[in-house]
Amino acid sequence: MVRRILVALGGNAILTDDPTAKAQQLALEKTAERLIPLIKDNNVEIIVTHGNGPQVGNLLLQQLATDSKKNPAMPLDTAVAMTQGQIGYWALQAFTKALKKNGMGQVDVLPVITRTLVDKNDPAFEKPSKPIGPFYDKSGVNELLKTYPEWTFVEDSGRGYRRVVPSPKPKGFIESKALAAMVSMTVLPIISGGGGVPVVQTEDGYEGVEAVIDKDFSAARLAELIEADDLLILTAVDNVYVNFNKLDQQKLEIVTMAEINNYIEQGQFAAGSMLPKVQAAMEFVACTGHAATITSLDNLASFLAIGSGTRIVP
């Protein structure tokens, strides 16, 4: 039986300390090479999605630096689409190269601009929470607020301050039927990048909104819609931990929904980093009855061999 896995790549799979296009392309080439064993498996179909928080934040800063009546900055939904296309192109190049190198040139890579339906009345529009762009120290934040007083910043897990924007929950995908139809063992789809372009339904069709959707929540919803057997969320650590970075930290391996929910109630997971990944994984498990795994790219071989990582089960 063919096992369908949706792979959600974290920002560390794309962005390094060097924010240049070349560095990000090289990072994706390494990522693509690491995913080859998964793609090579004759019993597996994979679908790839990815984040875009750093890229869309940097793009907005670049636009604002040259904002004028003759060259106006694009709205946030358009910036999401721009980075979805940008990263999709880099991924297309990287996976094509890796597939050819490994004798799998028959597999077509297909990045798709994906629109994600959200509720215009989602309370997230009143409470920005999604980090985008680079980290700043306090003085850097104060300087930006002089120019952009409407922006909101939050401290992010002890790493500095980041701008946050609304992050409504994904309700569905406008292209979901077409996306499901193209999933096969000879097509590698790269879809819902950056959570997808956020749109609301109107009488005339759909209208983009100023937001960035969390890519892990979108991945969970997408995995459900395309009837994936597994959701694999790849991040910077091999496992989810309780008491993280403390002397008594403990890694989680196989954990039930009840157990992980108890850890959430204890406040074990940081809101700006691990918590949304855990919650997204839980949504997939709750909706499908299938397990979801959170682990790292470095641990992918071990995941394939023995199922290591943090696996959330019903």
Side-chain angles (χ1 to χ4, degrees), residues 9-217:
L9 298 175
N12 60 309
I14 306 168
L15 188 64
T16 64
D17 292 336
D18 182 351
T20 62
K22 185 63 175 178
Q24 293 180 76
Q25 289 169 330
L26 289 173
L28 269 169
E29 286 182 10
K30 294 177 181 177
T31 295
E33 190 64 42
R34 289 181 177 184
L35 287 174
I36 285 296
L38 195 58
I39 303 170
K40 255 186 173 178
D41 191 326
N42 290 329
N43 296 314
V44 170
E45 293 175 343
I46 80 162
I47 305 95
V48 174
T49 188
H50 59 81
N52 73 337
Q55 290 80 12
V56 76
N58 289 340
L59 175 60
L60 290 172
L61 288 176
Q62 291 166 3
Q63 291 189 134
L64 290 169
T66 58
D67 190 16
S68 67
K69 289 184 179 179
K70 291 185 177 180
N71 186 28
M74 295 294 104
L76 187 50
D77 59 305
T78 300
V80 171
M82 291 167 72
T83 55
Q84 195 177 124
Q86 165 190 313
I87 298 169
Y89 163 64
W90 291 342
L92 173 62
Q93 296 287 81
F95 278 100
T96 299
K97 183 176 180 179
L99 289 164
K100 184 176 181 180
K101 176 183 174 182
N102 288 273
M104 300 179 67
Q106 77 280 7
V107 176
D108 291 318
V109 185
L110 187 59
V112 180
I113 299 296
T114 313
R115 294 171 294 172
T116 305
L117 184 65
V118 300
D119 184 346
K120 65 180 179 181
N121 296 315
D122 192 306
F125 287 110
E126 302 298 324
K127 189 177 180 180
S129 62
K130 176 65 177 174
I132 61 172
F135 290 90
Y136 301 95
D137 59 20
K138 190 65 175 176
S139 62
V141 169
N142 290 336
E143 280 299 311
L144 283 167
L145 287 174
K146 291 177 184 177
T147 308
Y148 311 109
E150 72 279 9
W151 285 11
T152 302
F153 291 86
V154 297
E155 197 279 328
D156 189 341
S157 306
R159 297 176 289 181
Y161 295 85
R162 295 179 78 186
R163 183 188 172 192
V164 289
V165 298
S167 184
K169 286 291 185 71
K171 308 293 288 184
F173 300 88
I174 311 306
E175 296 78 21
S176 60
K177 289 183 179 179
L179 296 176
M182 73 176 172
V183 175
S184 74
M185 294 175 70
T186 57
V187 176
L188 172 59
I190 300 171
I191 51 186
S192 186
V197 182
V199 298
V200 295
Q201 191 160 15
T202 68
E203 292 182 0
D204 301 320
Y206 301 95
E207 181 179 342
V209 291
E210 292 272 330
V212 173
I213 302 169
D214 184 275
K215 62 93 177 159
D216 292 313
F217 282 113

